């Protein structure tokens, strides 16, 4: 059986409705022995919910008129103002108890961290037992008084308790939403008849948390065509959206602005079983992020990178299951995002809606070795992002460029980022501050997913030689200069630091002749300094650039243009060689510190 949920708003409300219906069908089918899995597919104008086995063989639904009543699939949120449940054993979460558990867990974790130990097995088990549920941030978000969401949300959810007397008929009506969407009038006619008898509301206030598109003057969704005004929707529609929250929603409160940013997965082709397993892992990963890494910009970036990483971990563990692809972009498109900001002391207001696409990096991720390599690459990018201070204008601008790249696939934004980060990196090193670099092997792996010309340039030996010269004229001597100042070495750096080289190359890159001249001047002075140091000290710790390399780079500029060559030279030149590839020349990569020491 295939159920179809039309996309009527082009916002996350559509995904909530589809996943709410999937949650309902999944719970109903759990009553049936030998029930199958559910497969959610984005079919363009609508979402499909297929009742299938893992080979995607479709099975018919049982007769809904034989269904037995079951508890609500959307949880009621208890607080001091909503202490009474709609019915005994109604599924619920208590806001105050959840926050108490969060604080207990945080204090326990902090205590173990301060001791500098991982704790005994018993302590670790206690820590695990105290861990809050994966969806606790949904409870915190809904339960935030200034969101003013709880009265409407709980009213929607509580009405479920009134369905028991005619439950099979109500279930049939829910299913009709996905089988008779074009005939909504007849579906709601039967619904109103039953609802009047059982005291179930026909319509409820359209909560902006469930309907980010809705407000005064907005066009009405076709499936909600019976609503009397644009501020209310049919109850069954709103209930399913409330249920869908618990499947694909990840609220995050920013540490710098105290905004709530809500991330809702947009499914592409995913099994409900896999979605739930990954949901729990991803939710835990998000709230384990350090507070300083949950700023407004970083939450957008890390949500994308951490989901990518979480899915790769999951696919690695299920490598023998052909239904678990390695590429996360085959299962989800990305995230719908909405920002809620405190515009007064008493209320949050929704400001921005946007969509963050998952980057199309994973098309070549096929083997377990590929998965491991991309996990390392993603961690490297997370380390770089975490190291940038968003509070300063330079850091903020860098993160904006990186977000445009990772969420929008804009290579121009990535090169804007790498050029700016080259300057940021040199500043940090000059001030003896912690600095993280991209590695050349991971940078190459990333660039290979871009336009074909990138790979053709990177594979040219002359390009590699000149990038090496840039590296050994900037970040490497700057590192040794900082080490000497900190008295970590008794020997001053052998070579001078070329400050402003990235900015100079970028400035000249718009005109090919000027760029070639600037590059030739740099390479001439580089080789000349090598010769002078060898003559005066008898030492040479970096290689000369051959004339054939110069010829090759000029040919690349003629073929691909000076700007793309300059962008790649700066990106590659300010990256570091992996430790295993560093030659025994007395030089070293910039990142000497252990990244884990900075992750606490």
């Amino acid at each position: 059986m295939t159920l179809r949920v039309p996309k009527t708003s082009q916002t996350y409300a559509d995904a909530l409705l589809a996943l709410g219906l999937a949650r309902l069908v999944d719970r109903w089918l759990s009553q049936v022995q030998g029930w199958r899995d559910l497969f959610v597919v984005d079919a363009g104008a609508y979402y499909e919910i297929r009742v299938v086995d893992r080979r995607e063989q479709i099975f018919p639904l049982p007769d809904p008129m034989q269904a037995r009543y079951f508890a609500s699939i959307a949880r009621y949120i208890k607080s001091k103002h909503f202490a009474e449940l709609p019915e005994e054993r109604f599924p619920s979460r208590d806001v105050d108890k959840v926050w108490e558990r969060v604080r207990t867990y945080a204090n326990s974790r902090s205590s173990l961290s301060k001791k500098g130990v991982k704790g005994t097995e018993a302590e670790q088990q206690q820590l695990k037992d105290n861990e809050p549920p994966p969806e606790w941030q949904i409870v915190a978000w809904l339960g935030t008084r200034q969101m003013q969401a709880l009265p409407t949300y709980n009213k929607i959810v509580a009405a479920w308790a009134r369905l028991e007397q005619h439950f099979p008929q109500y279930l049939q009506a829910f299913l009709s939403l996905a089988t008779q969407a074009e005939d909504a009038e007849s579906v709601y006619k039967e619904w109103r008849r039953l609802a009047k008898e059982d005291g179930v509301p026909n319509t409820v206030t359209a909560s902006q948390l469930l309907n980010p598109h809705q407000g005064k003057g907005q066009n009405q969704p076709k499936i909600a065509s019976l609503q009397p005004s644009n501020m209310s929707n049919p109850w069954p529609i709103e209930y399913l959206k409330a249920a869908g929250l618990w499947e694909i929603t990840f609220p995050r409160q920013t540490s710098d602005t105290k905004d709530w940013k809500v991330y809702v997965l947009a499914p592409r082709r995913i099994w409900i079983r896999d979605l739930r397993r990954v949901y729990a892992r991803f939710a835990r990963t998000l709230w384990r992020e350090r507070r300083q890494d949950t700023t407004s910009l970083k939450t957008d970036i890390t949500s994308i990178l951490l989901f990518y990483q979480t899915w790769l971990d999951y696919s690695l563990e299920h490598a023998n299951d052909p239904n678990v692809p390695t590429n996360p972009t085959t299962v989800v498109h990305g995230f719908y995002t909405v920002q809620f900001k405190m515009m007064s002391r008493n209320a949050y207001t929704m400001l921005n809606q946007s969509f963050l696409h998952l980057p199309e990096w994973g098309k070549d991720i096929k083997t377990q070795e590929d998965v491991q390599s991309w996990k390392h690459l993603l961690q490297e990018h997370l380390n770089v992002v975490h190291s940038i201070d968003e509070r300063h204008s330079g850091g903020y601008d860098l993160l904006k460029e990186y977000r445009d790249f990772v969420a929008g696939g804009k290579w121009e934004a990535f090169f804007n980022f790498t050029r700016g980060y080259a300057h940021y990196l040199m500043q940090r090193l000059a001030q003896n501050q912690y600095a993280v670099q991209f590695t050349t092997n991971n940078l190459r792996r990333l660039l290979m997913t871009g336009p074909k010309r990138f790979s053709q340039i990177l594979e040219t030996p002359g390009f590699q030689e000149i990038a090496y010269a840039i590296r050994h004229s900037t970040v490497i001597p700057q590192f040794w200069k900082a080490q000497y100042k900190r008295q970590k070495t008794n020997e001053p750096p052998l070579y001078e630091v070329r400050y402003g080289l990235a900015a100079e190359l970028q400035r000249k890159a718009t005109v090919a002749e000027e760029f070639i001249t600037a590059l030739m001047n740099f390479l001439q002075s580089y080789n000349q300094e090598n010769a002078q140091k060898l003559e005066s000290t008898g030492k040479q710790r970096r290689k000369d650039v051959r004339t054939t390399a110069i010829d090759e780079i000029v040919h690349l500029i003629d073929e691909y243009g000076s700007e793309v060559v300059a962008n790649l030279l700066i990106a590659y030149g300010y990256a570091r060689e992996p430790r295993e590839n560093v030659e025994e020349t007395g030089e070293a990569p910039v990142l000497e510190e252990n990244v884990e020491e900075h992750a606490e």
Side-chain angles (χ1 to χ4, degrees):
M1 180 68 180
T2 298
L3 303 172
R4 291 184 173 88
V5 178
K7 296 180 184 178
T8 57
S9 72
Q10 303 304 315
T11 68
Y12 69 63
D14 298 329
L16 293 182
L17 180 58
L19 269 297
L21 182 60
R23 189 178 175 94
L24 176 74
V25 172
D26 180 68
R27 178 63 185 85
W28 165 40
L29 293 181
S30 68
Q31 297 180 348
V32 181
Q33 186 176 6
W35 70 280
R36 308 294 175 169
D37 204 350
L38 298 181
F39 193 43
V40 179
V41 178
D42 182 348
Y46 46 82
Y47 286 109
E48 287 187 350
I49 303 165
R50 302 174 185 173
V51 183
V52 293
D53 62 13
R54 296 293 273 190
R55 294 171 296 178
E56 296 191 41
Q57 181 179 349
I58 296 178
F59 291 84
L61 287 173
D63 181 4
M65 298 307 293
Q66 302 301 315
R68 303 185 304 275
Y69 175 77
F70 50 80
S72 172
I73 55 171
R75 295 181 177 91
Y76 190 85
I77 306 298
K78 292 180 65 177
S79 69
K80 60 183 178 182
H81 299 295
F82 297 93
E84 296 297 323
L85 292 177
E87 64 179 357
E88 188 179 0
R89 294 178 297 183
F90 198 96
S92 66
R93 291 289 189 200
D94 189 303
V95 174
D96 297 326
K97 289 182 178 178
V98 163
W99 273 117
E100 181 181 350
R101 192 167 172 181
V102 169
R103 285 189 288 268
T104 299
Y105 176 80
N107 291 337
S108 300
R109 191 178 179 197
S110 176
S111 176
L112 287 176
S113 178
K114 287 177 181 178
K115 293 177 183 177
V117 295
K118 293 184 177 180
T120 64
E121 186 175 337
E123 286 174 320
Q124 285 296 315
Q125 185 59 48
Q126 183 181 8
L127 189 63
K128 187 175 181 179
D129 292 342
N130 287 330
E131 190 173 60
E135 71 279 2
W136 78 263
Q137 292 206 81
I138 295 180
V139 179
W141 172 52
L142 292 173
T144 299
R145 180 178 57 83
Q146 293 88 345
M147 287 301 305
Q148 300 182 351
L150 215 49
T152 299
Y153 172 84
N154 274 344
K155 181 180 179 181
I156 293 169
V157 173
W160 178 271
R162 303 172 196 169
L163 304 186
E164 186 170 6
Q165 185 175 351
H166 297 98
F167 184 72
Q169 291 93 326
Y170 284 115
L171 178 60
Q172 189 169 48
F174 272 117
L175 297 175
S176 296
L177 296 174
T179 56
Q180 303 177 40
E182 298 300 321
D183 190 18
E185 179 65 42
S186 63
V187 174
Y188 285 112
K189 184 178 180 180
E190 174 63 13
W191 184 276
R192 282 195 295 266
R193 185 187 68 78
L194 291 171
K196 183 177 181 180
E197 183 176 343
D198 297 328
V200 179
N202 287 323
T203 62
V204 290
T205 301
S207 169
Q208 202 169 42
L209 272 67
L210 304 177
N211 303 278
H213 59 291
Q214 210 156 6
K216 292 183 178 180
Q218 295 281 348
N219 294 326
Q220 299 314 300
K222 188 173 184 180
I223 201 168
S225 59
L226 301 185
Q227 59 192 53
S229 75
N230 66 348
M231 296 304 291
S232 62
N233 281 344
W235 176 82
I237 296 294
E238 295 305 285
Y239 178 82
L240 290 178
K241 292 174 187 175
L245 278 178
W246 301 90
E247 297 283 356
I248 53 174
T249 306
F250 305 90
R252 304 183 70 182
Q253 189 168 35
T254 60
S255 58
D256 54 343
T257 60
K258 305 304 178 186
D259 298 343
W260 277 102
K261 300 193 77 171
V262 182
Y263 300 87
V264 181
L265 277 177
R268 176 175 275 174
R269 294 176 61 86
I270 192 166
W271 297 88
I272 287 293
R273 186 187 314 174
D274 296 328
L275 174 62
R276 288 175 177 167
R277 291 169 178 170
V278 171
Y279 178 97
R281 295 179 182 211
F282 181 54
R284 289 190 176 99
T285 299
L286 289 181
W287 58 260
R288 284 172 178 167
E289 281 277 272
R290 300 178 304 173
R291 287 292 294 165
Q292 62 263 42
D293 294 327
T294 59
T295 53
S296 185
L297 266 175
K298 285 186 180 180
T299 52
D300 287 350
I301 295 168
T302 58
S303 293
I304 295 171
L305 296 179
L306 289 170
F307 181 83
Y308 223 101
Q309 201 173 58
T310 301
W311 184 268
L312 290 181
D313 282 332
Y314 182 75
S315 72
L316 201 59
E317 292 177 15
H318 296 79
N320 295 326
D321 186 346
N323 291 289
V324 179
T326 54
N327 182 2
T329 59
T330 63
V331 293
V332 298
H333 294 287
F335 293 96
Y336 294 101
T337 67
V338 173
Q339 180 179 9
F340 294 91
K341 194 171 191 65
M342 280 282 286
M343 302 300 288
S344 69
R345 290 190 304 172
N346 299 320
Y348 278 94
T349 301
M350 191 193 77
L351 287 186
N352 300 312
Q353 295 184 63
S354 60
F355 193 86
L356 303 176
H357 292 272
L358 285 190
E360 294 287 345
W361 296 341
K363 59 181 181 294
D364 295 324
I365 304 177
K366 297 174 182 177
T367 67
Q368 293 187 42
E369 291 74 18
D370 292 336
V371 171
Q372 291 289 6
S373 296
W374 275 92
K375 283 178 59 181
H376 292 315
L377 183 149
L378 290 165
Q379 188 58 55
E380 184 172 288
H381 280 241
L382 283 165
N383 292 340
V384 169
V385 169
H386 287 162
S387 73
I388 298 173
D389 190 346
E390 186 177 330
R391 294 171 298 178
H392 303 322
S393 60
Y396 181 84
D397 292 340
L398 280 175
L399 290 170
K400 278 185 66 178
E401 295 287 359
Y402 186 87
R403 181 180 62 181
D404 287 347
F405 164 65
V406 77
K410 300 176 182 177
W411 283 103
E412 180 183 357
F414 179 70
F415 291 125
N416 289 342
F417 172 80
T418 54
R419 289 195 302 265
Y421 192 67
H423 177 68
Y424 185 86
L425 183 66
M426 293 293 286
Q427 279 188 325
R428 299 277 295 184
L429 291 171
Q431 297 165 5
N432 289 330
Q433 293 179 330
Y434 174 65
V436 182
Q437 283 178 280
F438 293 117
T439 55
T440 54
N441 59 334
N442 281 332
L443 189 58
R444 183 180 185 278
R445 183 172 288 111
L446 176 66
L447 292 168
M448 287 298 185
T449 68
K452 187 177 179 181
R453 63 182 183 274
F454 290 177
S455 62
Q456 293 167 333
I457 294 170
L458 292 175
E459 290 169 355
T460 302
F463 171 87
Q464 294 290 340
E465 282 193 44
I466 294 173
Y468 170 94
I470 292 172
R471 188 177 310 120
H472 282 259
S473 299
T474 54
V475 287
I476 287 180
Q478 182 65 74
F479 167 78
W480 284 112
K481 184 176 181 180
Q483 291 292 87
Y484 181 69
K485 285 184 177 180
R486 293 162 64 186
Q487 298 182 340
K488 294 291 185 72
T489 179
N490 296 323
E491 185 178 359
L494 183 60
Y495 300 105
E496 294 297 319
V497 182
R498 282 293 302 263
Y499 295 107
L501 179 58
E504 181 183 358
L505 294 178
Q506 175 192 350
R507 196 164 52 248
K508 301 292 186 181
T510 54
V511 180
E513 292 78 7
E514 292 182 7
F515 176 68
I516 291 172
T517 299
L519 195 59
M520 295 306 104
N521 289 339
F522 158 66
L523 295 174
Q524 182 182 6
S525 65
Y526 171 86
N527 281 346
Q528 187 176 5
E529 186 181 20
N530 282 354
Q532 289 172 346
K533 294 297 182 182
L534 179 60
E535 182 179 353
S536 61
T537 66
K539 299 175 182 178
Q540 182 167 348
R541 292 179 177 170
R542 62 188 190 187
K543 297 177 288 188
D544 290 337
V545 175
R546 299 171 299 120
T547 54
T548 54
I550 297 172
D551 294 337
E552 289 173 359
I553 206 74
V554 170
H555 175 74
L556 291 174
I557 292 169
D558 289 340
E559 186 168 356
Y560 301 109
S562 54
E563 289 187 276
V564 66
V565 173
N567 285 335
L568 290 170
L569 277 176
I570 293 169
Y572 225 73
Y574 283 79
R576 67 174 177 87
E577 291 286 343
R579 279 190 174 88
E580 60 270 21
N581 294 341
V582 174
E583 299 179 27
E584 296 179 358
T585 60
E587 303 294 359
V590 169
L591 183 57
E592 283 293 292
E593 297 93 338
N594 186 339
V595 171
E596 295 302 321
E597 294 176 3
H598 298 266
E600 295 300 328

